[in-house]
Amino acid sequence: AQKVTQAQTEISVVEKEDVTLDCVYETRDTTYYLFWYKQPPSGELVFLIRRNSFDEQNEISGRYSWNFQKSTSSFNFTITASQVVDSAVYFCALSEAMRDAGKSTFGDGTTLTVKP
Amino acid sequence: DTAVSQTPKYLVTQMGNDKSIKCEQNLGHDTMYWYKQDSKKFLKIMFSYNNKELIINETVPNRFSPKSPDKAHLNLHINSLELGDSAVYFCASSQVKGNGKTEAFFGQGTRLTVV
């Protein structure tokens, strides 16, 4: 069975601080996808990234970066120089590779609050 | 020019009714999805569909059925609505681009309230 754990329920930082959101997963599959999504207070969902389990390269997109560590089954998300607009709930998810996102298991989400 | 649009935004209905939520994407994406977010904000994927395959999350009751008249639409039909169906339902579409990166967008959500 698949499982995604986002142990940090809530995180609060001051603007410009760096913050890392943890995501630990469990799966018996050898190939799988990992995802991060953002849900701002307005309620919409925003897709951030999909990572294939074969690709262990870290990824950077502007102030966002993702650290995939297969050895520790973690796919952590770091926001550098956080801004108030980063305040949101962030969800990590895992899916069987053959099913793409169709069999995703979500973590419970981490609520990030960035204070000015 | 909305990429993924779903209607209605709000839906209040009585138990036992049958209802539909429509979703359209104008991105040319191959795959569309339906997600459910409950009152505790827990997210669950319900279906994913492309022109070849429908993937159903086994926890979804068979009262829920996706219908895709064409590649740009994936509507959600719900029969015999129950109180526990009250949630926000999100439609989404995705595509793997030529550079191997995935692009995905969500609709604004439909808040379904069953009374």
Side-chain angles (χ1 to χ4, degrees):
Chain A
Q2 296 179 327
K3 185 178 179 182
V4 176
T5 302
Q6 295 181 254
Q8 304 148 308
T9 305
E10 296 181 2
I11 302 176
S12 182
V13 299
V14 176
E15 210 170 17
K16 298 184 184 177
E17 285 184 16
D18 298 346
V19 58
T20 295
L21 282 61
D22 297 334
C23 175
V24 174
Y25 61 90
E26 295 175 27
T27 180
R28 294 179 182 171
D29 295 328
T30 55
T31 58
Y32 47 88
Y33 292 118
L34 295 161
F35 304 80
W36 275 96
Y37 302 86
K38 173 182 179 180
Q39 187 169 40
S42 53
E44 75 264 29
L45 277 169
V46 179
F47 165 84
L48 295 178
I49 190 172
R50 181 185 85 158
R51 173 51 53 88
N52 186 311
S53 57
F54 286 132
D55 182 2
E56 292 193 63
Q57 277 193 328
N58 291 331
E59 182 155 343
I60 298 175
S61 177
R63 297 184 297 107
Y64 294 170
S65 62
W66 290 270
N67 184 341
F68 178 31
Q69 294 280 344
K70 212 165 181 177
S71 59
T72 56
S73 297
S74 64
F75 187 45
N76 296 338
F77 173 33
T78 297
I79 302 175
T80 304
S82 60
Q83 299 176 2
V84 172
V85 293
D86 295 327
S87 297
V89 181
Y90 290 87
F91 294 96
C92 179
L94 163 74
S95 180
E96 302 170 21
M98 292 301 293
R99 302 295 195 177
D100 200 348
K103 288 282 190 178
S104 293
T105 299
F106 283 83
D108 291 345
T110 296
T111 300
L112 173 65
T113 302
V114 181
K115 299 178 181 177
Chain B
D1 194 18
T2 306
V4 180
S5 60
Q6 53 183 107
T7 55
K9 190 171 181 181
Y10 300 97
L11 181 56
V12 181
T13 188
Q14 290 187 324
M15 281 175 55
N17 284 349
D18 303 337
K19 289 293 179 184
S20 295
I21 305 172
K22 295 184 178 179
C23 180
E24 177 182 5
Q25 54 101 359
N26 62 7
L27 299 160
H29 286 174
D30 286 335
T31 308
M32 296 185 71
Y33 312 83
W34 278 102
Y35 296 77
K36 177 181 179 181
Q37 187 171 39
D38 65 21
S39 58
K40 294 182 179 178
K41 305 295 185 185
F42 296 141
L43 266 173
K44 180 174 78 171
I45 191 164
M46 303 176 71
F47 308 100
S48 74
Y49 183 79
N50 65 22
N51 56 9
K52 299 174 185 175
E53 188 178 15
L54 171 66
I55 299 171
I56 303 171
N57 186 321
E58 58 271 9
T59 66
V60 175
N62 57 14
R63 297 181 295 103
F64 291 79
S65 59
K67 299 256 188 325
S68 180
D70 54 58
K71 181 178 166 179
H73 296 83
L74 185 66
N75 303 324
L76 181 64
H77 296 268
I78 316 169
N79 294 326
S80 303
L81 277 155
E82 301 177 357
L83 292 176
D85 297 332
S86 296
V88 180
Y89 292 86
F90 289 95
C91 175
S93 71
S94 74
Q95 183 84 7
V96 178
K97 309 300 283 184
N99 61 4
K101 301 288 187 187
T102 295
E103 168 184 272
F105 294 94
F106 285 83
Q108 82 274 27
T110 295
R111 182 174 295 277
L112 171 66
T113 303
V114 182
V115 298

